[in-house]
Amino acid sequence: MKKPTRASAAKAKKGRKTSASRSKAAPKCPAKPSRRGAAAIDDTEATVCGLRSRLKEAERRVAELEAAADTDFLLEIPNRRGFERELGRAIAYMKRYRASGALIVLDVDRLKPINDSFGHAAGDEVLKAIAATLTQQVRASDVVGRLGGDEFALLLWNLTETDAKAKAAAFEQAIDELSFTFRGQSVTAGASAGVALLGAQSDAGRALEEADAAMYVRKAHRRHEPRIGWSVIRA
């Protein structure tokens, strides 16, 4: 038989050590009972097995709860907590790699009259349609979230100021064009959007304030536009 080289022998020895260490550090639950029978399985090993199983279940449950805490239960997109976390991560990335982006805060213009006239189920239908419309118009790397009530936020990567404003206008137009029929009446909602640019010097809280302020300025302007106000579409 050919004698193994020193290198291969050392490698085999190292592999045996690693395997032994792994086995010692994380004992696995025995697949079969020992020769002494199932009743004689070592108590310590059985305890470790049970604890590992419970830990795995606890970790799974924690992951589910964390995901639920960051997700809007109605729209299945990030809620304020989830969106602010994504925004913070994005800004940290931008600071490190000198990347850029835009934050758009968008407020639904006439959700309250819809809720008051047709009920909150109608308002929920409007919110779902708006969330779907926004999600369809962004890239996989972008983030659409609901800050609360009738207010949405969008985190968009690598946009110039001109592109960001154009994108905000496109979101407004897409939502303006949505129509709904409740109790035989066709109505529209509409939305107003404000933009804040993001970069290496950005702060998440400040960016949200700037985009929110810009949105309210835009909302005031849109009140004087012909499309603004309760809209009834005649068949």
Side-chain angles (χ1 to χ4, degrees):
M1 182 183 291
K2 187 175 180 180
K3 185 177 180 180
T5 63
R6 182 178 300 175
S8 61
K11 186 175 181 180
K13 185 176 180 181
K14 182 179 180 182
R16 288 195 297 273
K17 282 185 177 180
T18 303
S19 180
S21 300
R22 189 184 302 117
S23 179
K24 183 177 180 182
K28 294 182 178 180
C29 299
K32 297 179 181 179
S34 65
R35 285 176 293 180
R36 291 176 294 173
I41 293 177
D42 182 78
D43 288 343
T44 302
E45 193 171 281
T47 300
V48 170
C49 243
L51 290 173
R52 184 182 296 115
S53 178
R54 275 186 261 173
L55 176 61
K56 186 174 181 180
E57 175 61 22
E59 289 174 340
R60 183 192 67 79
R61 182 59 179 154
V62 167
E64 288 180 351
L65 291 172
E66 287 180 343
D70 287 345
T71 304
D72 184 90
F73 74 94
L74 175 67
L75 306 181
E76 297 183 349
I77 58 176
N79 57 19
R80 177 179 283 274
R81 181 177 183 269
F83 186 84
E84 288 181 349
R85 186 187 64 183
E86 292 299 323
L87 179 59
R89 288 176 176 174
I91 290 176
Y93 180 93
M94 292 173 187
K95 289 180 178 178
R96 182 170 183 179
Y97 297 104
R98 298 291 171 182
S100 63
L103 170 66
I104 296 177
V105 169
L106 185 146
D107 190 80
V108 182
D109 287 330
R110 297 182 293 280
L111 187 65
K112 188 178 185 303
I114 291 175
N115 283 332
D116 292 344
S117 298
F118 304 106
H120 286 276
D124 289 348
E125 185 177 330
V126 171
L127 291 173
K128 288 177 182 178
I130 290 173
T133 298
L134 295 175
T135 302
Q136 290 166 5
Q137 295 199 30
V138 300
R139 300 159 293 186
S141 57
D142 299 331
V143 181
V144 178
R146 182 186 182 190
L147 298 182
D150 54 3
E151 195 168 62
F152 291 82
L154 300 100
L155 169 61
L156 309 175
W157 287 90
N158 302 320
L159 292 181
T160 64
E161 182 176 1
T162 300
D163 291 338
K165 289 181 177 179
K167 197 68 177 174
F171 291 145
E172 288 182 350
Q173 181 178 353
I175 295 171
D176 285 346
E177 292 173 354
L178 292 175
S179 64
F180 307 88
T181 301
F182 304 121
R183 299 176 191 168
Q185 293 187 52
S186 294
V187 300
T188 61
S192 301
V195 178
L197 298 181
L198 301 174
Q201 306 303 317
S202 295
D203 171 79
R206 181 61 181 163
L208 280 167
E209 290 175 1
E210 290 176 355
D212 201 52
M215 178 271 293
Y216 278 109
V217 170
R218 175 61 178 155
K219 185 179 283 287
H221 289 167
R222 279 172 59 87
R223 287 196 185 101
H224 302 291
E225 295 178 359
R227 291 183 63 92
I228 296 307
W230 183 265
S231 175
V232 178
I233 303 173
R234 302 187 185 279

